[in-house]
Amino acid sequence: MASYETRVQPALDWLGVHHSQLVERLREYVRIPSVSAQPAHAPDVGRCAEWIAGRFRAAGLATEVHPTRGNPVVVARTPRVEGAPTFMVYGHYDVQPPEPFELWTTPPFDPQVRGDDLFGRGSSDNKGQHLAHLHAVEACLASGVGLPCNLVFLVEGEEEIGSGALHDFLPLHRRELACDAVVVSDNGIPDLRHPALTYALRGIAAMEVRVDGPSKDLHSGLFGGTVENPAMALCRLLARMRDEHGRILVPGFYDDVMPLSEYERAQLARLPATPSEYLALTGSPALFGEPGFTPEEQRTARPTFEINGLTSGYQGEGSKTIIPSWASAKLTLRLVANQDPGRVIAAVKAHLERCCPPTVRLSIQHGHGAVPYLTSPDGPMARAAMEALHEGFGHPGMLMREGGSIPIVSAFKEHLGADTLLLGMALPDDNAHSPNEKFNLRAYAAGMRMAVHLWPRLAAAARTSAA
Ligand code: BES
Ligand code: MN
């Protein structure tokens, strides 16, 4: 049998020949402002689902746009190969809000190429990454290379708001979506010379905390000193949740946290991330964090407690001497294996209630949650993925964990019994969720090559693990 390299060469050539068209397609995709968090963009979100469905159909996939109680879910299948394994590719067509607009060099939904980068909201998170998979499949089909397996693409429109509709959709469609493994490219790698297989994601638990004091804003001169200031009460309350190194003070919080193995620590230490790079990437004056862990370990293998937003009192021009009537905070905790979002929320809630003084009324609202993900980094499919990374990027694959969350990944395990291979293409300076988000076009091209190399290897690995 011809080697993989010879067999897939026409597909790789196809990608080379069509590269500028494939960049134009990504620009077209990024031009659609599919912001799931903002109801005003609902029509754009719908249009975006139809756009990607159209691309799947043009590539030769049988494609359906499923309405849900939320945003549509797009399911596309490659032509059936009898007796071959089936893999799912997951991605999301929704994007984060682009604000603040004034910090963008070029408008978020008017994508521009500068140097090696295509700038625009959603370019790397996640449109460029799943479009790379689509194009790799298109290349295989159009060049006559074909596919040694069945692929089902699942592209949703609510990842950035917690994947609510897909969580309902998945158990209802478990038969159509049955697969041997899932491939997700919605994450990153340290740089182009260090492509990586990610085997862990953090989970998340979101909540909103509000304290109410006086029934209206009060004159701070007339009443200051007699009633508690809710903004101050909230600050004091939140300060009791975490110490100055980020260690969470909620009793029992670390009980379920799975420690890193020595093997993992050694693998993570091989990654090229250094403290000075973290300083440069973030623009922070100094690093911070739990003693005894490297930054890479802190951001991927340790839980955190973050204030995402803090609101109280007068925010307008000039000053206003009041005791605000209320204060609120949006909070998220990032969780690691084996923490459970429900248990964590209950423990945090109990601690907040214990610590809250009687001078304000506390109310807590629960938000979205995601179970952390951890899978074994060896095994035939992981090794197949490592080889594809090497071929696609021209450098050996590394192993890494990620600090971000992809809520649906644990649900794939639960409902489909399938493990997920995370094969990210984003770079640390791609500005995910920030102004000037971009996607590196070399990563785009390498990602497409990697995907071409992936399917024959993964299909062979699935056959060995089934045998
Ligand atoms: N693609 C990211 C998650 C990600 C980023 C994973 C980098 C690994 C590396 C995803 O789109 C995302 O932002 N998820 C949200 C989920 C949340 C809203 C429930 C996140 O992590 O904040
Ligand atoms: Mn995101």
Side-chain angles (χ1 to χ4, degrees), residues 213-233:
S215 56
K216 53 192 177 297
D217 292 354
L218 300 174
H219 191 298
S220 62
L222 296 185
F223 296 100
T226 62
V227 293
E228 173 62 301
N229 181 312
M232 184 59 80

Side-chain angles (χ1 to χ4, degrees), residues 92 125 159-160 186-188 204 334 368 402 404-407 433:
H92 64 93
D125 184 7
E159 196 275 348
E160 299 292 4
D186 186 25
N187 54 304
I204 196 164
R334 293 281 169 173
H368 54 85
E402 247 316 333
S405 309
I406 307 176
H433 297 203

